[in-house]
Amino acid sequence: MAGSHSGGKKRAMYIAVLAIMVLLPIGVTMYKLYVLNYPLAGLIPEPVYKVDLSMQVDGHGEDIGIHTYLPKTDSRQSIENEQNSPGIFATEIKSDALNREASWKAENVHGQQGVNYSYVVHAHHVRYNIPADLRIPDAYPASLAPYLAAEPGIQKDDPQIEAELRRIVPVEKPAMLDALTRIHRHLQDDLANRNFSGYTDALTALKLGEASCNGKSRLFAAFARKLNIPARLVGGLIMQQGSKRTTHQWVEVYISGHWVPFDTINDHFAEIPANFLTFYYGDLVLFKHTANVNFQYTFNVTKKLMPQREAQAALSQSVLNVANFYAFFESIGIPQNLLKILLMLPLGALVTVVFRNVIGLETFGTFLPALIASAARDTGLLWGIVGFLAIIMVSAMVRRALDWLQLLHSPKMAIMLTTVVIVMMAITVGGVHFGLFELAHMTLFPIAILAITAERVALMEAEQGALKVVRITFMTLIVISACYAVMESFFLQSLILAFPELLLLVIALNLWLGKWIGIRVMEFLRFRRLIMGAPA
Amino acid sequence: MNALKKFLVRLEGVRERAGAVLSMNRRNLHYIYTRNERRHFPLADNKLIAKEVLMAAGVRMPVTFRTYGYFYQLGSLGRDLERYSDFVIKPAQGSGGSGIIVIVGRKGRDWVGISGKVYTLYDLKKHISDIIFGVHSFDLGDHAIIESRITQHPDMQELSPLGLADVRIIMCDEVPVMSMTRVPSRQSEGKANLHQGAIGVSIDIASGMTTQAQFLGQPIDRHPDSGIPLLGRTVPFWPEVIGLALRAARAVPLKYLGVDISISPDGPQLLEINVRPGLEIQNVNGRGMLPVLEAAENGGRRD
């Protein structure tokens, strides 16, 4: 029985390979977790904000300039993926120690023109503890002098402000914490919040007994400076999902080498939430522009979840880490995003295998659902599905039209591919035109995938009828959605990035599924009469 | 208590019957992959090769009139077909009955299909060039076969008045395992394909008697179009049908096969062999075929 002998050998080999594929990744993962102390908490995704600033002017032939402050990366906030779409304007960006200024200029501007500037913000919540016994210093380095001086809007030496300060902080030589608490509580509780977008100086805020964020901040700064605590204004944005025009101001005071934030509109004492974005420091104006050009601006904020950057960076430092590979890939110009897609594809394929072999859904090809799902990461699942359906419909319709013309196969397929490309371009142009930028990314739907899909659909419709195509399209959509959910899971992405050896486990699962001879869920339905038996 | 017992008995029956069903995964892994080597697949997938091997082994099949594999050969198509009025055009590597045209007569310079549709020389040329181009096949490029049309035995014609019925026998290790005949209906448009709405009628292997029938997933006992009773009939030439299936199974190195046979007035003829025979035959027969398959395996081992 030579056959059964070699069968036994094959079986032993199978079990050996399976064991290696299970034990090796688990072993390496355990080693990383317990010996190298990989931070598991770093795998939980955190929120980031995409901020899209759009500015518009109406020109009547004049030269137009727009000026604003762009956020800077510092220890609390990091600004990435900046994209400038200046239209007809020439851009100039300057940076000094504190602020980053951007200006856009154009000559002889006619009609409505705009500038778009977008970036991704990744910021932290920060809170300071001020020791109760900390005294207010008598002297500071000379560089802090500007933060102690009077300014046109911060009239710290005005007698009324001085009198009010004495009322709020009646003690001689108060402790730092005590003084700041009294000032903060007074501005937060006794001064009414007013939703007013205009300029209010410190004295006016005091006289009115009510103020918006900028009035309160100036008054805070005036009180602080009077007490010999350096203070500065901060201009920024509270990032919330949606579009807004309202910006925000708060104040920072200098305590033991730190600039500590206070917000007496939202009652943040020595703390600042993660969704506060700093634009500039100082008593400045966010937007300046040529007069009479009907200047309009909007901030569009989108909140997303992203894998934790620090955790990934920390991982790349440790030995025996594949994260070092990522640096290697990046050095030859392959971005980490592409690598992520690559690493997630096996998981997508595994999902497809489960749907096909265990549940029993038919799909267009084994890898197509995973590929479409990864293509949809730029457009989002919804628009990805829309794009996929568009391809299927266009392919089917064009095939019918061409069948009627009776053409040979290859030229027919070439025409179909061309039509699909034209439709994708049209969708992109339409997307840009109507401001649906996710839709505009449709062009990035890899064309090879489109070609395969189009040809498969056309062949299947010709051979097995439109109903079959509709059925398989529907089932493919289900599998694409499942693939998308798995492949776009930040947890799984971080997990695979940190522990790429887990891909061996995917092989192990496929090895097991490859020998699974159970009845598929859909087969239970197919053979239900046979299995349930006729009621006796 | 009694109800629970009843339920458990019923559950046991469900388990047993589910265990008898040959699933897609098991069919592929235990029967197709282990019994049919990949390199032998063309024997079944390509009708030209199959015909050559099977006819050499004495298996009776329709006569091949012509084959076309290149576009330049189409120039003489008109002359080639001039003397034929009764033939079938099919792709050598087609599947599921796609790409097949059945011609039953002439009308002037044109040909008449079995449905009454008239085909001009241009229509046939276009169809054959589609076949050569691989439109009806998995691979790029194919051959078109023009062969004699099988006329049905009167008993089969009575059973299947709307087109050619075929008898499918599943062979495992040269043992016939399960059988059915597929009867075209109006729904299937003359095609003997269950998924397209043909009627499946199970045949008892031992006696050649029809036992159950199914149409669009529902059990029936009469032909939905003609009203003729489908059950309790004996398939003509049954011992010869089984003999032909056995001879075909022995002629090829493929040990898990679907053998398709049609019955003409003077005996059975083999239409094609299939290396991935479908599982629907179990629904048609009203039982799973795993027990019989396992018995066939054991029988095969004793040899």
Side-chain angles (χ1 to χ4, degrees), chain A residues 258-311:
Chain A
H258 298 280
W259 283 103
V260 179
F262 292 82
D263 176 356
T264 53
I265 292 278
N266 303 299
D267 201 4
H268 298 304
F269 182 87
E271 74 171 317
I272 184 170
N275 68 334
F276 272 46
L277 170 66
T278 304
F279 285 144
Y280 60 85
Y281 298 100
D283 197 353
L284 304 168
V285 181
L286 182 56
F287 292 107
K288 278 187 237 161
H289 51 84
T290 313
N292 299 324
V293 291
N294 189 25
F295 177 79
Q296 303 278 345
Y297 69 90
T298 328
F299 289 99
N300 257 305
V301 180
T302 330
K303 187 176 175 178
K304 302 190 208 183
L305 288 174
M306 288 289 262
Q308 284 185 36
R309 202 181 323 269
E310 284 78 3

Short mmCIF file of all heavy atoms in Angstrom, two decimals, chain A residues 258-311:
data_model
loop_
_atom_site.label_atom_id
_atom_site.label_comp_id
_atom_site.label_asym_id
_atom_site.label_seq_id
_atom_site.Cartn_x
_atom_site.Cartn_y
_atom_site.Cartn_z
N HIS A 258 7.42 76.65 32.60
CA HIS A 258 6.37 76.12 31.73
C HIS A 258 5.35 77.19 31.42
O HIS A 258 5.04 78.03 32.28
CB HIS A 258 5.65 74.96 32.43
CG HIS A 258 6.54 73.80 32.74
ND1 HIS A 258 6.89 72.87 31.80
CD2 HIS A 258 7.15 73.45 33.90
CE1 HIS A 258 7.70 71.97 32.37
NE2 HIS A 258 7.87 72.31 33.64
N TRP A 259 4.84 77.12 30.20
CA TRP A 259 3.71 77.98 29.86
C TRP A 259 2.45 77.17 30.14
O TRP A 259 2.15 76.20 29.48
CB TRP A 259 3.77 78.40 28.39
CG TRP A 259 4.77 79.49 28.13
CD1 TRP A 259 6.00 79.34 27.57
CD2 TRP A 259 4.63 80.87 28.44
NE1 TRP A 259 6.65 80.55 27.50
CE2 TRP A 259 5.83 81.52 28.04
CE3 TRP A 259 3.63 81.65 29.03
CZ2 TRP A 259 6.03 82.88 28.17
CZ3 TRP A 259 3.83 83.02 29.16
CH2 TRP A 259 5.03 83.62 28.75
N VAL A 260 1.69 77.60 31.15
CA VAL A 260 0.55 76.82 31.63
C VAL A 260 -0.76 77.44 31.13
O VAL A 260 -0.98 78.64 31.31
CB VAL A 260 0.57 76.77 33.17
CG1 VAL A 260 -0.62 75.97 33.69
CG2 VAL A 260 1.89 76.17 33.66
N PRO A 261 -1.61 76.64 30.46
CA PRO A 261 -2.81 77.21 29.82
C PRO A 261 -4.00 77.39 30.77
O PRO A 261 -4.21 76.59 31.68
CB PRO A 261 -3.14 76.15 28.76
CG PRO A 261 -2.61 74.87 29.32
CD PRO A 261 -1.43 75.22 30.19
N PHE A 262 -4.77 78.45 30.52
CA PHE A 262 -6.02 78.70 31.25
C PHE A 262 -7.08 79.13 30.25
O PHE A 262 -6.80 79.93 29.36
CB PHE A 262 -5.84 79.81 32.28
CG PHE A 262 -4.93 79.43 33.42
CD1 PHE A 262 -3.55 79.52 33.28
CD2 PHE A 262 -5.47 78.96 34.61
CE1 PHE A 262 -2.72 79.15 34.32
CE2 PHE A 262 -4.63 78.60 35.66
CZ PHE A 262 -3.25 78.69 35.52
N ASP A 263 -8.29 78.60 30.42
CA ASP A 263 -9.39 79.00 29.55
C ASP A 263 -10.58 79.31 30.45
O ASP A 263 -11.17 78.41 31.05
CB ASP A 263 -9.72 77.85 28.57
CG ASP A 263 -10.93 78.17 27.70
OD1 ASP A 263 -11.55 79.22 27.90
OD2 ASP A 263 -11.24 77.34 26.82
N THR A 264 -10.94 80.60 30.56
CA THR A 264 -12.01 80.97 31.48
C THR A 264 -13.37 81.04 30.80
O THR A 264 -14.34 81.52 31.37
CB THR A 264 -11.70 82.32 32.16
OG1 THR A 264 -11.41 83.27 31.14
CG2 THR A 264 -10.55 82.20 33.12
N ILE A 265 -13.44 80.58 29.56
CA ILE A 265 -14.75 80.40 28.91
C ILE A 265 -15.22 78.97 29.21
O ILE A 265 -16.37 78.74 29.57
CB ILE A 265 -14.65 80.60 27.38
CG1 ILE A 265 -14.35 82.06 27.04
CG2 ILE A 265 -15.91 80.11 26.68
CD1 ILE A 265 -15.53 82.99 27.04
N ASN A 266 -14.32 78.01 29.03
CA ASN A 266 -14.68 76.60 29.18
C ASN A 266 -14.18 76.00 30.50
O ASN A 266 -14.21 74.79 30.66
CB ASN A 266 -14.11 75.80 28.01
CG ASN A 266 -14.61 76.34 26.68
OD1 ASN A 266 -15.82 76.33 26.43
ND2 ASN A 266 -13.71 76.82 25.85
N ASP A 267 -13.70 76.89 31.41
CA ASP A 267 -13.27 76.46 32.74
C ASP A 267 -12.17 75.38 32.71
O ASP A 267 -12.29 74.33 33.31
CB ASP A 267 -14.48 75.95 33.55
CG ASP A 267 -14.20 76.00 35.06
OD1 ASP A 267 -13.11 76.49 35.43
OD2 ASP A 267 -15.07 75.55 35.83
N HIS A 268 -11.11 75.66 31.96
CA HIS A 268 -9.95 74.77 32.00
C HIS A 268 -8.88 75.46 32.83
O HIS A 268 -8.28 76.44 32.39
CB HIS A 268 -9.42 74.49 30.59
CG HIS A 268 -10.42 73.79 29.73
ND1 HIS A 268 -11.00 72.59 30.08
CD2 HIS A 268 -10.94 74.10 28.51
CE1 HIS A 268 -11.84 72.21 29.14
NE2 HIS A 268 -11.84 73.11 28.18
N PHE A 269 -8.64 74.94 34.03
CA PHE A 269 -7.66 75.54 34.94
C PHE A 269 -6.35 74.77 34.83
O PHE A 269 -6.28 73.60 35.20
CB PHE A 269 -8.20 75.51 36.37
CG PHE A 269 -7.27 76.16 37.36
CD1 PHE A 269 -7.33 77.53 37.59
CD2 PHE A 269 -6.32 75.40 38.05
CE1 PHE A 269 -6.47 78.13 38.50
CE2 PHE A 269 -5.45 76.00 38.96
CZ PHE A 269 -5.53 77.37 39.17
N ALA A 270 -5.34 75.45 34.32
CA ALA A 270 -4.02 74.83 34.14
C ALA A 270 -4.11 73.56 33.32
O ALA A 270 -3.36 72.62 33.53
CB ALA A 270 -3.36 74.56 35.49
N GLU A 271 -5.05 73.53 32.42
CA GLU A 271 -5.13 72.35 31.55
C GLU A 271 -5.70 72.74 30.20
O GLU A 271 -6.31 73.82 30.04
CB GLU A 271 -5.97 71.24 32.19
CG GLU A 271 -7.46 71.50 32.18
CD GLU A 271 -8.24 70.28 32.63
OE1 GLU A 271 -7.90 69.15 32.18
OE2 GLU A 271 -9.18 70.44 33.41
N ILE A 272 -5.52 71.86 29.24
CA ILE A 272 -6.01 72.12 27.90
C ILE A 272 -6.38 70.78 27.27
O ILE A 272 -5.61 69.82 27.34
CB ILE A 272 -4.94 72.90 27.08
CG1 ILE A 272 -5.45 73.29 25.71
CG2 ILE A 272 -3.66 72.11 26.96
CD1 ILE A 272 -4.51 74.26 25.00
N PRO A 273 -7.58 70.67 26.69
CA PRO A 273 -8.02 69.38 26.14
C PRO A 273 -7.28 69.04 24.84
O PRO A 273 -6.66 69.91 24.22
CB PRO A 273 -9.51 69.58 25.87
CG PRO A 273 -9.88 70.90 26.44
CD PRO A 273 -8.62 71.69 26.59
N ALA A 274 -7.43 67.78 24.43
CA ALA A 274 -6.73 67.30 23.23
C ALA A 274 -7.28 67.91 21.94
O ALA A 274 -6.64 67.84 20.91
CB ALA A 274 -6.82 65.77 23.16
N ASN A 275 -8.49 68.49 22.02
CA ASN A 275 -9.05 69.02 20.77
C ASN A 275 -8.82 70.53 20.63
O ASN A 275 -9.46 71.18 19.82
CB ASN A 275 -10.54 68.67 20.65
CG ASN A 275 -11.40 69.38 21.67
OD1 ASN A 275 -10.92 69.73 22.75
ND2 ASN A 275 -12.65 69.58 21.33
N PHE A 276 -7.90 71.09 21.46
CA PHE A 276 -7.52 72.50 21.28
C PHE A 276 -6.32 72.56 20.35
O PHE A 276 -5.31 71.90 20.58
CB PHE A 276 -7.15 73.13 22.63
CG PHE A 276 -8.32 73.71 23.37
CD1 PHE A 276 -9.50 72.99 23.49
CD2 PHE A 276 -8.25 74.97 23.95
CE1 PHE A 276 -10.60 73.51 24.18
CE2 PHE A 276 -9.34 75.50 24.64
CZ PHE A 276 -10.51 74.77 24.76
N LEU A 277 -6.45 73.36 19.29
CA LEU A 277 -5.37 73.50 18.32
C LEU A 277 -4.81 74.92 18.43
O LEU A 277 -5.56 75.89 18.31
CB LEU A 277 -5.90 73.25 16.90
CG LEU A 277 -4.97 73.58 15.75
CD1 LEU A 277 -3.76 72.65 15.76
CD2 LEU A 277 -5.72 73.45 14.41
N THR A 278 -3.51 75.04 18.67
CA THR A 278 -2.88 76.35 18.80
C THR A 278 -2.46 76.87 17.42
O THR A 278 -1.78 76.17 16.68
CB THR A 278 -1.64 76.26 19.70
OG1 THR A 278 -2.04 75.72 20.95
CG2 THR A 278 -1.01 77.62 19.89
N PHE A 279 -2.89 78.11 17.10
CA PHE A 279 -2.46 78.74 15.85
C PHE A 279 -1.26 79.68 16.08
O PHE A 279 -0.32 79.66 15.32
CB PHE A 279 -3.58 79.56 15.22
CG PHE A 279 -4.67 78.74 14.58
CD1 PHE A 279 -5.99 79.15 14.63
CD2 PHE A 279 -4.35 77.57 13.88
CE1 PHE A 279 -6.99 78.41 14.02
CE2 PHE A 279 -5.36 76.83 13.27
CZ PHE A 279 -6.68 77.25 13.35
N TYR A 280 -1.36 80.53 17.11
CA TYR A 280 -0.32 81.54 17.31
C TYR A 280 -0.27 81.98 18.76
O TYR A 280 -1.21 81.73 19.53
CB TYR A 280 -0.58 82.76 16.42
CG TYR A 280 -1.89 83.45 16.70
CD1 TYR A 280 -1.99 84.40 17.71
CD2 TYR A 280 -3.03 83.14 15.98
CE1 TYR A 280 -3.19 85.01 18.01
CE2 TYR A 280 -4.24 83.74 16.25
CZ TYR A 280 -4.31 84.67 17.27
OH TYR A 280 -5.51 85.27 17.57
N TYR A 281 0.84 82.60 19.15
CA TYR A 281 1.00 83.19 20.48
C TYR A 281 1.12 84.69 20.33
O TYR A 281 1.80 85.18 19.42
CB TYR A 281 2.25 82.65 21.16
CG TYR A 281 2.19 81.16 21.39
CD1 TYR A 281 2.85 80.29 20.54
CD2 TYR A 281 1.46 80.64 22.46
CE1 TYR A 281 2.78 78.93 20.74
CE2 TYR A 281 1.39 79.27 22.66
CZ TYR A 281 2.05 78.42 21.80
OH TYR A 281 1.97 77.08 22.00
N GLY A 282 0.48 85.42 21.22
CA GLY A 282 0.55 86.87 21.18
C GLY A 282 -0.81 87.48 20.89
O GLY A 282 -1.74 86.77 20.53
N ASP A 283 -0.92 88.80 21.07
CA ASP A 283 -2.19 89.47 20.81
C ASP A 283 -2.26 89.82 19.33
O ASP A 283 -2.00 90.96 18.93
CB ASP A 283 -2.30 90.73 21.70
CG ASP A 283 -3.74 91.21 21.76
OD1 ASP A 283 -4.59 90.64 21.02
OD2 ASP A 283 -4.03 92.13 22.56
N LEU A 284 -2.59 88.83 18.53
CA LEU A 284 -2.53 88.98 17.08
C LEU A 284 -3.90 88.75 16.46
O LEU A 284 -4.84 88.32 17.12
CB LEU A 284 -1.53 87.97 16.49
CG LEU A 284 -0.11 88.03 17.07
CD1 LEU A 284 0.69 86.82 16.64
CD2 LEU A 284 0.57 89.31 16.61
N VAL A 285 -4.01 89.02 15.16
CA VAL A 285 -5.26 88.80 14.43
C VAL A 285 -5.04 87.62 13.50
O VAL A 285 -4.04 87.58 12.78
CB VAL A 285 -5.65 90.05 13.62
CG1 VAL A 285 -6.95 89.81 12.89
CG2 VAL A 285 -5.76 91.26 14.53
N LEU A 286 -5.95 86.65 13.55
CA LEU A 286 -5.74 85.41 12.79
C LEU A 286 -5.73 85.66 11.29
O LEU A 286 -4.86 85.19 10.58
CB LEU A 286 -6.82 84.39 13.15
CG LEU A 286 -6.69 83.03 12.47
CD1 LEU A 286 -5.33 82.40 12.75
CD2 LEU A 286 -7.81 82.09 12.91
N PHE A 287 -6.72 86.42 10.80
CA PHE A 287 -6.79 86.65 9.35
C PHE A 287 -6.58 88.12 9.04
O PHE A 287 -7.20 88.99 9.64
CB PHE A 287 -8.15 86.21 8.80
CG PHE A 287 -8.36 84.74 8.85
CD1 PHE A 287 -9.24 84.19 9.77
CD2 PHE A 287 -7.69 83.89 7.98
CE1 PHE A 287 -9.45 82.82 9.83
CE2 PHE A 287 -7.89 82.52 8.04
CZ PHE A 287 -8.77 81.99 8.97
N LYS A 288 -5.69 88.38 8.09
CA LYS A 288 -5.58 89.73 7.54
C LYS A 288 -5.71 89.58 6.04
O LYS A 288 -5.24 88.60 5.46
CB LYS A 288 -4.21 90.34 7.89
CG LYS A 288 -4.17 90.92 9.29
CD LYS A 288 -2.86 91.68 9.50
CE LYS A 288 -2.15 91.09 10.69
NZ LYS A 288 -0.73 91.40 10.73
N HIS A 289 -6.34 90.56 5.42
CA HIS A 289 -6.52 90.44 3.97
C HIS A 289 -6.76 91.81 3.38
O HIS A 289 -7.11 92.77 4.10
CB HIS A 289 -7.70 89.52 3.66
CG HIS A 289 -8.95 89.90 4.40
ND1 HIS A 289 -9.81 90.86 3.95
CD2 HIS A 289 -9.46 89.45 5.58
CE1 HIS A 289 -10.81 90.97 4.81
NE2 HIS A 289 -10.62 90.14 5.81
N THR A 290 -6.61 91.92 2.08
CA THR A 290 -6.89 93.14 1.36
C THR A 290 -8.36 93.53 1.61
O THR A 290 -9.23 92.66 1.68
CB THR A 290 -6.69 92.90 -0.16
OG1 THR A 290 -5.44 92.24 -0.32
CG2 THR A 290 -6.71 94.19 -0.93
N ALA A 291 -8.60 94.83 1.78
CA ALA A 291 -9.95 95.27 2.13
C ALA A 291 -10.93 95.09 0.96
O ALA A 291 -10.53 95.04 -0.20
CB ALA A 291 -9.91 96.75 2.53
N ASN A 292 -12.20 94.98 1.32
CA ASN A 292 -13.29 94.95 0.34
C ASN A 292 -13.18 93.84 -0.70
O ASN A 292 -13.37 94.07 -1.89
CB ASN A 292 -13.39 96.30 -0.40
CG ASN A 292 -13.68 97.42 0.57
OD1 ASN A 292 -14.42 97.23 1.55
ND2 ASN A 292 -13.07 98.56 0.32
N VAL A 293 -12.81 92.65 -0.23
CA VAL A 293 -12.77 91.53 -1.19
C VAL A 293 -13.74 90.43 -0.77
O VAL A 293 -13.70 89.33 -1.30
CB VAL A 293 -11.35 90.94 -1.34
CG1 VAL A 293 -10.44 91.94 -2.05
CG2 VAL A 293 -10.78 90.54 0.01
N ASN A 294 -14.63 90.79 0.20
CA ASN A 294 -15.63 89.81 0.66
C ASN A 294 -14.96 88.52 1.12
O ASN A 294 -15.30 87.43 0.68
CB ASN A 294 -16.65 89.54 -0.46
CG ASN A 294 -17.82 88.71 0.06
OD1 ASN A 294 -18.12 88.74 1.26
ND2 ASN A 294 -18.45 87.97 -0.83
N PHE A 295 -13.98 88.69 2.03
CA PHE A 295 -13.21 87.54 2.51
C PHE A 295 -14.10 86.61 3.34
O PHE A 295 -14.83 87.05 4.23
CB PHE A 295 -12.04 88.04 3.36
CG PHE A 295 -11.23 86.93 3.97
CD1 PHE A 295 -10.30 86.25 3.22
CD2 PHE A 295 -11.41 86.57 5.30
CE1 PHE A 295 -9.55 85.22 3.78
CE2 PHE A 295 -10.67 85.54 5.87
CZ PHE A 295 -9.74 84.86 5.10
N GLN A 296 -14.07 85.32 3.02
CA GLN A 296 -14.84 84.31 3.75
C GLN A 296 -13.91 83.17 4.11
O GLN A 296 -13.04 82.83 3.32
CB GLN A 296 -15.95 83.72 2.87
CG GLN A 296 -16.92 84.72 2.29
CD GLN A 296 -18.00 85.10 3.28
OE1 GLN A 296 -18.19 84.42 4.29
NE2 GLN A 296 -18.70 86.19 3.01
N TYR A 297 -14.11 82.59 5.30
CA TYR A 297 -13.30 81.41 5.62
C TYR A 297 -14.14 80.39 6.38
O TYR A 297 -15.15 80.75 7.01
CB TYR A 297 -12.08 81.79 6.47
CG TYR A 297 -12.44 82.25 7.86
CD1 TYR A 297 -12.52 81.34 8.91
CD2 TYR A 297 -12.70 83.59 8.12
CE1 TYR A 297 -12.88 81.75 10.18
CE2 TYR A 297 -13.05 83.99 9.39
CZ TYR A 297 -13.15 83.08 10.42
OH TYR A 297 -13.51 83.49 11.66
N THR A 298 -13.77 79.15 6.28
CA THR A 298 -14.42 78.08 7.04
C THR A 298 -13.36 77.06 7.44
O THR A 298 -12.46 76.75 6.66
CB THR A 298 -15.44 77.29 6.18
OG1 THR A 298 -16.02 78.16 5.23
CG2 THR A 298 -16.50 76.64 7.02
N PHE A 299 -13.50 76.54 8.65
CA PHE A 299 -12.70 75.40 9.06
C PHE A 299 -13.58 74.16 8.99
O PHE A 299 -14.64 74.13 9.59
CB PHE A 299 -12.20 75.58 10.51
CG PHE A 299 -11.15 76.63 10.66
CD1 PHE A 299 -11.49 77.90 11.09
CD2 PHE A 299 -9.84 76.35 10.36
CE1 PHE A 299 -10.53 78.88 11.23
CE2 PHE A 299 -8.87 77.32 10.50
CZ PHE A 299 -9.21 78.60 10.93
N ASN A 300 -13.13 73.17 8.24
CA ASN A 300 -13.83 71.89 8.21
C ASN A 300 -13.03 70.89 9.00
O ASN A 300 -11.88 70.62 8.70
CB ASN A 300 -13.96 71.40 6.78
CG ASN A 300 -15.35 71.63 6.25
OD1 ASN A 300 -16.32 71.19 6.88
ND2 ASN A 300 -15.45 72.32 5.14
N VAL A 301 -13.65 70.33 10.03
CA VAL A 301 -12.91 69.42 10.90
C VAL A 301 -13.51 68.03 10.81
O VAL A 301 -14.72 67.85 10.92
CB VAL A 301 -12.95 69.91 12.36
CG1 VAL A 301 -12.19 68.96 13.27
CG2 VAL A 301 -12.38 71.32 12.46
N THR A 302 -12.67 67.05 10.56
CA THR A 302 -13.10 65.66 10.54
C THR A 302 -12.30 64.90 11.59
O THR A 302 -11.09 65.00 11.64
CB THR A 302 -12.81 65.01 9.18
OG1 THR A 302 -12.87 66.00 8.18
CG2 THR A 302 -13.79 63.92 8.87
N LYS A 303 -13.04 64.15 12.40
CA LYS A 303 -12.37 63.39 13.45
C LYS A 303 -12.18 61.95 12.97
O LYS A 303 -13.09 61.36 12.41
CB LYS A 303 -13.24 63.41 14.70
CG LYS A 303 -12.57 62.81 15.92
CD LYS A 303 -13.49 62.96 17.12
CE LYS A 303 -12.89 62.25 18.33
NZ LYS A 303 -13.71 62.40 19.51
N LYS A 304 -10.99 61.42 13.16
CA LYS A 304 -10.73 60.04 12.75
C LYS A 304 -9.98 59.33 13.87
O LYS A 304 -9.35 59.96 14.70
CB LYS A 304 -9.81 59.96 11.53
CG LYS A 304 -10.27 60.66 10.31
CD LYS A 304 -9.33 60.25 9.19
CE LYS A 304 -9.23 61.32 8.15
NZ LYS A 304 -8.40 60.94 7.03
N LEU A 305 -10.02 58.01 13.83
CA LEU A 305 -9.21 57.24 14.76
C LEU A 305 -7.95 56.78 14.03
O LEU A 305 -8.01 56.38 12.87
CB LEU A 305 -9.98 56.01 15.27
CG LEU A 305 -11.10 56.34 16.25
CD1 LEU A 305 -11.88 55.09 16.57
CD2 LEU A 305 -10.53 56.94 17.51
N MET A 306 -6.83 56.86 14.69
CA MET A 306 -5.58 56.43 14.07
C MET A 306 -4.77 55.62 15.07
O MET A 306 -4.90 55.81 16.26
CB MET A 306 -4.75 57.66 13.67
CG MET A 306 -5.30 58.42 12.49
SD MET A 306 -5.09 57.49 10.98
CE MET A 306 -3.62 58.26 10.36
N PRO A 307 -3.93 54.72 14.57
CA PRO A 307 -3.07 53.98 15.48
C PRO A 307 -2.13 54.96 16.19
O PRO A 307 -1.78 55.99 15.63
CB PRO A 307 -2.26 53.06 14.57
CG PRO A 307 -2.97 53.06 13.28
CD PRO A 307 -3.72 54.33 13.18
N GLN A 308 -1.74 54.63 17.39
CA GLN A 308 -0.88 55.53 18.15
C GLN A 308 0.51 55.58 17.57
O GLN A 308 1.18 54.58 17.44
CB GLN A 308 -0.81 55.06 19.61
CG GLN A 308 -2.05 55.38 20.39
CD GLN A 308 -1.89 55.02 21.83
OE1 GLN A 308 -0.81 55.16 22.40
NE2 GLN A 308 -2.97 54.53 22.42
N ARG A 309 0.90 56.80 17.23
CA ARG A 309 2.19 57.01 16.60
C ARG A 309 3.34 56.70 17.55
O ARG A 309 4.29 56.01 17.19
CB ARG A 309 2.26 58.46 16.18
CG ARG A 309 3.21 58.78 15.10
CD ARG A 309 3.11 60.27 14.90
NE ARG A 309 1.72 60.70 15.05
CZ ARG A 309 0.88 60.75 14.05
NH1 ARG A 309 1.26 60.43 12.85
NH2 ARG A 309 -0.35 61.16 14.23
N GLU A 310 3.21 57.19 18.79
CA GLU A 310 4.32 57.03 19.73
C GLU A 310 4.61 55.56 19.95
O GLU A 310 5.76 55.13 19.98
CB GLU A 310 4.01 57.70 21.08
CG GLU A 310 4.11 59.20 21.06
CD GLU A 310 2.90 59.85 20.43
OE1 GLU A 310 1.96 59.10 20.06
OE2 GLU A 310 2.87 61.07 20.28
N ALA A 311 3.52 54.79 20.12
CA ALA A 311 3.71 53.37 20.39
C ALA A 311 4.47 52.73 19.24
O ALA A 311 5.39 51.93 19.44
CB ALA A 311 2.36 52.69 20.57
#
